[in-house]
Amino acid sequence: MILLRTLAVLVLSVMLFSADRIDAAEQEYRLASGDTILIHVFGEDELNMQVRLDATGVINYPFLGRVHVEGVSVYELESRLTRGLQDGYIKSPQVNVSIVEHRPFFIEGEVKKPGGYPFMPGLTIRKAVSLAGGFTEYATRQSFYVVYEKPAGRSSVNVGVDAPIGPGDSITVGKSIFYISGEVNKPDGYPCRPGLTMREAISLAGGLTERASERKIDIISKDGTERAVEDDVMSTKIESGDSIRVKQSFF
């Protein structure tokens, strides 16, 4: 019995903590073009409306006319509407504003379903990729290019897979690929996963030809410089953007 009570208290605590986090996120969230909101005034059906915000940053609301909504939180909008309705229209209006659907974020590049998707609180790169159908086989898994939409303007940065994403942000998932040419059976570009070795790279390319030299292999990194190989050539780690050339053996 004591164990059940303890579990119940823990579950309730987690629920309250999650609710507090969601409430805090909604307080920080700023409305903008693309958001869909629902305005409900208790007992005043003619004042209830659902509207998708457009680029003008204003809505036309009964009695009040044009109301500016760009850049305010739902709580600030509630206060703005309440004050306006109290000013000669309704004695004690009970106004509630909620977000029906957040404006989208965008993801492109090496994901299976690139496009725009509705933002949700707590969104990260990892979750965004999942919404977009997951990575393609050529996708990088380590660094992602994001253009952040902020009130002060846009900024761009490379981030990791657990970086937070906001509404209006644009994510680009780049390629992780290496190239191999020369004395291999299938010279081409192939996906470069973390930890890939020379032996595995050659295997992806169909193996060495009969004329190949296992010791005469060059690697040119993506910045154009030649990269040293290990004494055990086949254990050399391959990096994204590397170009491998397998030379002939003359003996």
Side-chain angles (χ1 to χ4, degrees), residues 147-158:
V147 178
Y148 285 108
E149 183 185 82
K150 298 181 178 180
R154 292 194 162 199
S155 62
S156 57
V157 66
N158 286 305

Side-chain angles (χ1 to χ4, degrees), residues 11-29:
V11 170
L12 180 60
S13 298
V14 170
M15 291 175 64
L16 290 173
F17 177 71
S18 299
D20 287 343
R21 290 186 64 183
I22 293 172
D23 187 61
E26 291 294 345
Q27 288 185 38
E28 295 177 1
Y29 187 86

